[in-house]
């Protein structure tokens, strides 16, 4: 008889119609949840047999704080799945905090952290100030940064992806198909991953002897709306691109919509490449060619690392970048030529 699949807090949240942080609050006994919501979540936890991990002495087996700037995207869900899996394997529970700002953790979060028995912190796509770093170190709390927004401070453990290689591979793929006028929509200029993807795009063009045209480089927010808006801007040019490399799958979906609104077909009239390889990418129409960023593996490695650091095992390498991979599907093709 096959083993019953372990339920995740992501599934509980979906069935309860609430956010993952709300389920996390119920599991960890935090008070700021409406009674009706708490009852609904607790009922589902009981129905699915969800149990918080405990140690041999009956106390909590350990807590890992997973800290997001924002969580309302499929990208964040992949991070949660990877961190939760690794925490479960390590006999720990996961607490999810959402800051609603990219400025990094502040005083309120630090006070909440001090009120619970946290064994380590995984900080996702946020800035880590020297003040927060000092306070975490003063509490002897190990921490790891996933996909840091800026250059990680010296000595801080971080896990990211080979964003430059991903930008290079995406652009080379389009060049090899015969495209020469290739637009790019990246994320915010002050984010390390955004700039690395742009740099990879530039390197591919320069290596192929194709001029880098400033009007073909646009900045977005990694979200669908910015892909739509910046896609329209690129397609409104007097000489529009025949292909667009979007710095996230969500922005690529926005480009799909912008193309449809202009009567353009993907990939017959416009090739599109994304970045992330979210589960939605292969079920989109057409299925999206994209650069796979190993989000679950990144989160799992960060979580295992922070648990190991809590046991006194320091990582041999402070900065780890996991490999990206081009996944070719049906949203790219050679450029259409008029007859």
């Amino acid at each position: 008889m096959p083993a019953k699949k372990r339920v995740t807090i992501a599934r509980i949240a979906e069935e309860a119609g609430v956010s993952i942080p709300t389920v996390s609050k119920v599991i960890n006994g935090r008070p700021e949840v409406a009674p009706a919501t708490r009852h609904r979540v607790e009922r589902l936890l009981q129905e699915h047999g969800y149990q918080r991990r405990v140690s041999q002495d009956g106390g909590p087996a350990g807590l890992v704080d997973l800290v997001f700037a924002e969580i309302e995207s499929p990208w964040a869900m992949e991070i949660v799945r990877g961190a939760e899996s690794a925490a479960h394997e390590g006999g720990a529970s996961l607490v999810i905090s959402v800051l609603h700002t990219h400025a990094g953790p502040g005083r309120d979060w630090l006070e909440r952290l001090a009120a619970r028995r946290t064994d380590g912190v995984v900080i996702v796509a946020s800035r880590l100030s020297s003040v927060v770093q000092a306070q975490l170190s003063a509490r002897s709390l190990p921490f790891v940064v996933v996909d840091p927004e800026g250059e990680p401070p010296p000595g801080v453990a971080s896990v990211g992806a080979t964003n430059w290689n991903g930008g290079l591979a995406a652009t080379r793929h389009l060049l090899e198909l015969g495209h020469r006028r290739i637009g790019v929509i990246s994320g915010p200029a002050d984010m390390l991953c955004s700039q690395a993807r742009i740099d990879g795009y530039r390197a591919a063009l320069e290596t192929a002897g194709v001029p880098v045209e400033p009007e073909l480089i646009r900045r977005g927010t990694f979200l669908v709306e910015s892909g739509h808006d910046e896609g329209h801007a690129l397609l409104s040019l007097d000489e529009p691109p025949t292909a667009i490399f979007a710095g996230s799958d969500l922005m690529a979906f926005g480009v799909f919509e912008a193309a449809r609104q202009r009567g353009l077909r993907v990939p017959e009239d416009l090739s599109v490449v994304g970045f992330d390889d979210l589960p939605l990418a292969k079920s989109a129409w057409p299925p999206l060619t994209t650069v796979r960023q190993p989000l679950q593996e990144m989160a799992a490695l960060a979580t295992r690392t922070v648990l190991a650091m809590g046991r006194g095992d320091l990582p041999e390498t402070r900065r780890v970048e996991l490999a990206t991979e081009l996944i070719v599907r049906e949203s790219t093709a050679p450029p259409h030529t008029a007859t």
Side-chain angles (χ1 to χ4, degrees):
M1 184 176 180
K4 186 177 180 180
K5 186 176 181 181
R6 184 178 68 87
V7 69
T8 66
I9 58 177
R11 180 177 170 187
I12 295 292
E14 182 179 359
E15 292 190 15
V18 299
S19 67
I20 288 177
T22 297
V23 177
S24 177
K25 289 174 184 178
V26 173
I27 292 171
N28 292 288
R30 290 167 61 179
E32 59 269 31
V33 180
T37 301
R38 181 182 297 279
H39 175 74
R40 186 164 72 252
V41 172
E42 287 177 340
R43 177 177 56 80
L44 286 167
L45 290 169
Q46 184 175 15
E47 287 178 2
H48 286 289
Y50 186 99
Q51 292 184 338
R52 178 173 162 179
R53 307 287 289 179
V54 297
S55 63
Q56 292 181 350
D57 63 8
L63 290 177
V64 173
D65 266 62
L66 182 63
V67 186
F68 287 93
E70 304 287 349
I71 200 171
E72 301 301 327
S73 78
W75 184 95
M77 296 303 100
E78 293 302 293
I79 294 289
V80 170
R81 290 186 180 98
E84 187 180 22
S85 175
H88 179 83
E89 290 171 3
S93 295
L94 202 64
V95 176
I96 299 170
S97 299
V98 185
L99 305 175
H100 302 294
T101 174
H102 286 264
R107 182 183 299 276
D108 290 346
W109 174 77
L110 286 166
E111 289 176 353
R112 292 195 300 271
L113 189 70
R116 54 183 179 257
R117 294 169 57 187
T118 295
D119 293 277
V121 179
V122 176
I123 301 172
V124 183
S126 295
R127 297 193 180 278
L128 183 65
S129 71
S130 58
V131 172
V132 172
Q133 182 182 346
Q135 293 194 20
L136 290 173
S137 297
R139 290 176 168 86
S140 298
L141 278 175
F143 56 93
V144 178
V145 182
V146 174
D147 198 20
E149 281 202 2
E151 191 71 26
V156 171
S158 68
V159 179
T162 54
N163 290 291
W164 186 91
N165 287 345
L168 182 79
T171 311
R172 276 184 174 170
H173 169 65
L174 294 170
L175 289 165
E176 288 167 358
L177 287 172
H179 295 277
R180 289 299 178 267
R181 193 155 173 84
I182 302 171
V184 62
I185 307 171
S186 191
D190 60 350
M191 293 186 70
L192 194 64
C193 63
S194 299
Q195 191 56 51
R197 292 169 199 176
I198 288 279
D199 289 345
Y201 159 86
R202 289 178 180 273
L205 292 179
E206 290 169 356
T207 301
V210 176
V212 177
E213 300 286 349
E215 67 177 359
L216 292 177
I217 300 175
R218 310 292 297 189
R219 296 283 184 179
T221 64
F222 288 135
L223 300 179
V224 173
E225 295 79 9
S226 69
H228 171 269
D229 295 345
E230 300 302 335
H232 267 305
L234 286 169
L235 296 173
S236 297
L237 294 171
D238 291 339
E239 188 182 350
T242 60
I244 295 177
F245 165 40
S248 74
D249 288 352
L250 295 180
M251 290 199 299
F253 299 151
V255 173
F256 276 11
E257 182 60 22
R260 277 193 288 268
Q261 290 172 351
R262 290 175 167 271
L264 299 175
R265 300 164 299 164
V266 176
E268 292 87 350
D269 303 313
L270 178 71
S271 286
V272 181
V273 179
F275 200 108
D276 286 332
D277 195 27
L278 298 175
L280 293 170
K282 58 184 162 186
S283 59
W285 188 256
L288 180 64
T289 294
T290 187
V291 176
R292 181 178 183 271
Q293 181 175 206
L295 296 171
Q296 290 193 31
E297 292 92 331
M298 288 160 57
L301 176 58
T303 304
R304 287 194 295 268
T305 299
V306 88
L307 290 171
M309 291 169 69
R311 297 190 298 267
D313 299 329
L314 299 181
E316 293 182 6
T317 303
R318 287 282 174 172
R319 184 169 180 175
V320 176
E321 290 189 343
L322 301 186
T324 53
E325 178 188 4
L326 179 69
I327 307 296
V328 178
R329 296 195 177 100
E330 297 173 37
S331 65
T332 51
H336 175 75
T337 55
T339 56

